Amino acid sequence: AFLDKAPTFPHITLEYGHPDRYNLHLKLLRSLIILDGGDPARALTLFPRDLLEPLDRGEPSWSDTEARFVFGRLLCANGRALEGVEAIGVVLRREEAKRYEHAPELAYWRAAAGLCALQAGDRKSARTWAQQARESFIVQPGVSDFYKAPLLELEAKLAKR
């Protein structure tokens, strides 16, 4: 695939962050692509767990937020919904303190947490996450459909049950 042709980046020495973070990030992207391609078991196996180290030490351009969110999605996709909700919850609790309450990323993550909660059988939490995500899109209706996709899926699943 395309990412297989990506160069290997040399280790970097910084005050913070994993020295191999660029290569690990490419592995994260590969894992996400594999998940979206329908092979969650393989995606979880390939996920670079080194990115789950606490890297958020004040550097605005790099943290473990994306990695923790993707890891949560992977856990959910592999039938480990309770762990997945917790992983996504860590991201949400931290990022809610830093971002605008209706930021599209937060709405996206909330809807993803709702999907995972519903998978775990927690319909009440799924509805709460859906409501919070929906409120953000009411405030910002022009947000890209990319951010709205998990909410649309969640609402469809909630309507069926």
Side-chain angles (χ1 to χ4, degrees):
F2 179 75
L3 287 179
D4 292 332
K5 297 176 185 173
T8 301
F9 296 96
H11 282 216
I12 53 175
T13 304
L14 294 173
E15 182 180 335
Y16 37 73
H18 195 287
D20 199 28
R21 67 185 184 189
Y22 295 113
N23 293 313
L24 293 172
H25 193 73
L26 284 174
K27 290 178 182 178
L28 180 142
L29 293 174
R30 184 176 286 113
S31 180
L32 186 56
I33 289 166
I34 292 167
L35 172 65
D36 290 342
D39 191 351
R42 182 168 171 245
L44 183 59
T45 300
L46 296 175
F47 181 82
R49 284 176 168 71
D50 285 350
L51 286 177
L52 297 176
E53 296 174 11
L55 301 175
D56 192 0
R57 298 189 178 112
E59 182 183 2
S61 65
W62 189 270
S63 74
D64 61 341
T65 299
E66 181 181 16
R68 287 192 184 282
F69 174 71
V70 170
F71 189 62
R73 281 191 59 202
L74 288 168
L75 292 171
C76 292
N78 280 281
R80 296 166 58 185
L82 292 175
E83 294 171 84
V85 169
E86 178 55 31
I88 295 171
V90 167
V91 169
L92 281 166
R93 285 187 294 277
R94 181 175 44 197
E95 295 301 315
E96 285 171 340
K98 297 183 201 178
R99 297 176 187 244
Y100 171 56
E101 67 181 308
H102 297 297
E105 297 86 357
L106 288 176
Y108 181 90
W109 295 332
R110 288 172 178 142
L115 285 166
C116 204
L118 189 60
Q119 181 183 334
D122 187 353
R123 187 175 182 79
K124 182 179 177 186
S125 291
R127 285 180 187 235
T128 300
W129 292 116
Q131 179 61 35
Q132 291 174 356
R134 192 177 312 107
E135 288 170 5
S136 293
F137 297 132
I138 290 169
V139 172
Q140 296 192 82
V143 169
S144 167
D145 289 344
F146 168 82
Y147 293 105
K148 296 176 183 177
L151 177 61
L152 296 174
E153 181 182 347
L154 176 57
E155 288 180 328
K157 287 181 177 185
L158 285 169
K160 286 181 184 178
R161 293 183 180 190

